Amino acid sequence: MCLAVPGRVLDIGEKDGTRMATVDFGGVVKEVCLEYLPDLQVGEYAIVHVGFALQRLDEESAKQTLELFAQLGMLQEEFGDPWERAAAEAGAGDGDWPFADDIAQQPHTGDAVQEAQQQ
Amino acid sequence: MKYIEEFQDPELARRLLDDIHATVTRPWALMEVCGGQTHTIIRHGIDQLLPEQVELIHGPGCPVCVTPLEVIDKALEIASRPGVIFCSFGDMLRVPGTGRDLFQVRSEGGDVRVVYSPLDALRIAQQNPAREVVFFGIGFETTAPPNAMTVHQAKKLGIPNFSLLVSHVRVPPAIEAIMTSPSCRVQAFLAAGHVCSVMGMGEYPELAARHRVPIVVTGFEPLDILEGVRRAVRQLERGEHTVDNAYARAVRPEGNPAALAMLEDVFEVTDRAWRGIGVIPASGWRLSARYRDYDAEHRFSVTGIATQEPAECRSGEVLQGLIKPHECEAFGTTCTPRTPLGATMVSSEGACAAYYLYRRLDLAPARTAPLEASPVV
Ligand code: SF4
């Protein structure tokens, strides 16, 4: 949860009067709130934590970090299915999960995390 | 240097290490504050690459680990109530409360949901006006602004069925508590980079000067850690104690002004208990009076819950850098990620978990008690 992941802004819009963006994290696309970085533009990179852009990052550092996170499996940890992980840790059998109503595991773009890890 | 080839830029890593080796003349103890940094250090064996004189002490910077047991118990109590949708980050699912965890509450029929962002929880509240939606608001200065914005939004949009169970903590008072403890051995800090991206570095110069302790703002990638250690050791060898920013690509001295303004509006500073450590004055945030209606503790009257942590768990000492995880008797025996006694074993950023995942086999020969057969990764 404490992991802040760099992402690239794909497009910017508004929702309930709040500045929001879709942001690409090495293949995983998420909705991100831009209220704390109101000047951020499409194509720029930022450090994103729990759905909020917190600080700008230059492209090179952002790409390096994403690559490293992908190699270490940390994107999977951040964006993968937490119930699955909890169940595995608890030693529970299959069957209890996945639960279809979790926002955290609604479909992203295909197997983007895996793709990012293979790059 | 057995792990160095795994570094993103092994050549640069080697140069940084050479520089550290060339600079050190005496033993020094450095504390990395952030649990993410602890994981990088153990995962990459950075502590083993450093000169013997440089000891890394693991700090309290894991939000999951420091959330007090009684707050977990309050969460479990609220999550079990009919009509409640309890939303949390995934890391909190298996943090043990008294006797059970959120994962179990869910399998017993509680509506516990994992969200990626607190705004997801707010959306769930909008979609379920007949239910009470509670978000588990834990974390340091990096997570507090997103949660503050969510409460602000709830008020602005007039969403009455949303509330926050707040247990936010702040780093500088923890540094103060560590430095004033009689058993303190820390001589320099690697400060948590992402906390500073939000807060800036304003609180640190005074701390550094008063305790004569170098504070180097550090990222959490392997090379960031080496660079942070290099700068801290330089200062120590020269007898300096200033605040240095080794994470300038993400930290500006003034932090994030918009986030700071929101924190100021939604939260107020309060004393907070840290799991395993106890109350640290002014070390946390609670909702300010204007937002009290959104406080889940009051809404669900769980303020009275108080609980006792398991006596055999020494996570308080681990979190203060007084012992290393494997020095705890329970480590790898009665306490594993599958059967955690303390949050430091279950959190993805906890020091006990880091040692269990990456160091357990190295440590095994030194132990007499049998270790669990299959590693949980
Ligand atoms: S190994 Fe387990 S019991 Fe020991 S300090 Fe860590 S979490 Fe607590």
Side-chain angles (χ1 to χ4, degrees):
Chain A
M1 166 207 120
C2 219
L3 189 63
V5 185
R8 179 171 171 269
V9 179
L10 297 178
D11 57 63
I12 295 175
E14 231 192 65
K15 196 172 194 175
D16 293 333
T18 303
R19 201 169 150 82
M20 301 291 290
T22 41
V23 172
D24 175 15
F25 302 94
V28 183
V29 174
K30 290 260 177 204
E31 204 175 35
V32 164
C33 177
L34 294 191
E35 285 290 306
Y36 291 142
L37 275 189
D39 309 332
L40 200 67
Q41 301 298 326
V42 170
E44 287 192 297
Y45 287 81
I47 292 181
V48 176
H49 179 58
V50 297
F52 285 71
L54 291 179
Q55 204 54 267
R56 263 195 181 75
L57 204 60
D58 63 86
E59 179 168 354
E60 199 197 340
S61 340
K63 283 186 170 161
Q64 276 181 12
T65 305
L66 269 177
E67 200 182 301
L68 179 75
F69 284 1
Q71 272 171 24
L72 298 176
M74 287 159 84
L75 292 180
Q76 178 67 55
E77 249 170 54
E78 182 74 1
F79 298 121
D81 180 356
W83 292 106
E84 196 170 322
R85 194 146 40 96
E89 284 164 359
D94 298 19
D96 281 353
W97 47 270
F99 302 102
D101 54 348
D102 282 322
I103 285 189
Q105 55 154 65
Q106 275 169 16
H108 316 306
T109 53
D111 285 326
V113 171
Q114 267 176 3
E115 276 163 33
Q117 280 171 353
Q118 280 156 12
Q119 270 165 21
Chain B
M1 295 189 181
K2 54 177 177 166
Y3 303 95
I4 204 162
E5 263 55 55
E6 292 170 16
F7 279 74
Q8 203 175 18
D9 184 343
E11 200 36 55
L12 179 55
R14 199 175 299 274
R15 285 214 303 277
L16 293 171
L17 276 164
D18 286 348
D19 191 273
I20 297 167
H21 278 268
T23 310
V24 171
T25 64
R26 274 174 289 165
W28 299 113
L30 282 55
M31 175 177 273
E32 85 278 358
V33 172
C34 160
Q37 294 169 332
T38 305
H39 262 245
T40 304
I41 288 163
I42 304 304
R43 191 170 207 159
H44 293 268
I46 290 174
D47 53 333
Q48 299 180 337
L49 292 168
L50 291 172
E52 246 173 46
Q53 295 111 307
V54 178
E55 184 192 355
L56 291 177
I57 298 179
H58 315 311
C62 163
V64 178
C65 305
V66 301
T67 302
L69 188 60
E70 61 182 58
V71 176
I72 308 282
D73 283 346
K74 286 172 187 172
L76 296 171
E77 161 73 25
I78 294 172
S80 314
R81 300 244 178 120
V84 167
I85 302 175
F86 193 86
C87 300
S88 166
F89 296 128
D91 321 44
M92 298 306 286
L93 296 181
R94 295 214 51 243
V95 177
T98 304
R100 55 189 187 149
D101 56 28
L102 282 172
F103 189 76
Q104 274 163 284
V105 170
R106 168 106 180 201
S107 45
E108 289 158 18
D111 194 345
V112 179
R113 302 192 194 177
V114 170
V115 293
Y116 163 66
S117 164
L119 287 178
D120 294 338
L122 191 61
R123 199 168 315 146
I124 292 173
Q126 279 172 304
Q127 290 160 354
N128 296 275
R131 311 272 300 276
E132 278 290 330
V133 175
V134 182
F135 181 69
F136 201 174
I138 68 146
F140 282 90
E141 291 96 326
T142 332
T143 322
N147 292 347
M149 173 68 76
T150 306
V151 174
H152 174 83
Q153 284 283 97
K155 191 175 166 104
K156 191 174 93 182
L157 301 172
I159 301 172
N161 59 326
F162 177 84
S163 57
L164 195 64
L165 178 61
V166 194
S167 187
H168 281 301
V169 276
R170 304 167 61 235
V171 167
I175 291 184
E176 175 72 29
I178 287 163
M179 287 312 293
T180 46
S181 150
S183 42
C184 172
R185 295 193 299 123
V186 179
Q187 290 162 299
F189 284 96
L190 306 181
H194 287 146
V195 162
C196 298
S197 327
V198 171
M199 302 305 290
M201 309 195 300
E203 291 180 89
Y204 291 131
E206 194 267 330
L207 268 177
R210 191 154 39 84
H211 295 293
R212 307 184 63 80
V213 66
I215 301 180
V216 181
V217 177
T218 308
F220 50 87
E221 290 167 40
L223 291 172
D224 289 327
I225 306 276
L226 286 180
E227 175 62 6
V229 170
R230 191 181 73 88
R231 293 196 193 191
V233 167
R234 287 223 148 169
Q235 284 205 41
L236 288 167
E237 289 284 341
R238 290 178 183 159
E240 296 168 355
H241 40 80
T242 62
V243 178
D244 186 11
N245 184 3
Y247 194 39
R249 65 178 191 277
V251 173
R252 312 208 177 348
E254 72 282 9
N256 182 322
L260 289 173
M262 184 60 76
L263 284 174
E264 176 88 357
D265 180 42
V266 175
F267 291 131
E268 62 194 22
V269 169
T270 182
D271 298 348
R272 261 257 176 252
W274 295 49
R275 187 167 191 164
I277 298 179
V279 174
I280 302 179
S283 69
W285 276 303
R286 65 171 174 212
L287 289 164
S288 61
R290 264 192 310 289
Y291 293 91
R292 210 45 62 74
D293 290 350
Y294 295 88
D295 189 338
E297 278 196 48
H298 292 289
R299 199 175 287 200
F300 296 90
S301 311
V302 289
T303 40
I305 293 183
T307 27
Q308 200 62 44
E309 297 177 29
E312 63 269 49
C313 176
R314 299 178 66 187
S315 62
E317 290 161 90
V318 171
L319 289 166
Q320 293 170 86
L322 301 176
I323 62 164
K324 294 264 160 50
H326 61 280
E327 292 168 297
C328 167
E329 271 301 303
F331 176 84
T333 55
T334 49
C335 180
T336 69
R338 207 166 269 219
T339 55
L341 286 178
T344 41
M345 183 56 96
V346 81
S347 161
S348 57
E349 281 134 30
C352 298
Y355 273 70
Y356 189 87
L357 289 177
Y358 309 120
R359 212 35 82 67
R360 186 166 59 101
L361 297 176
D362 302 358
L363 299 170
R367 296 198 53 90
T368 47
L371 293 164
E372 202 185 57
S374 60
V376 181
V377 181

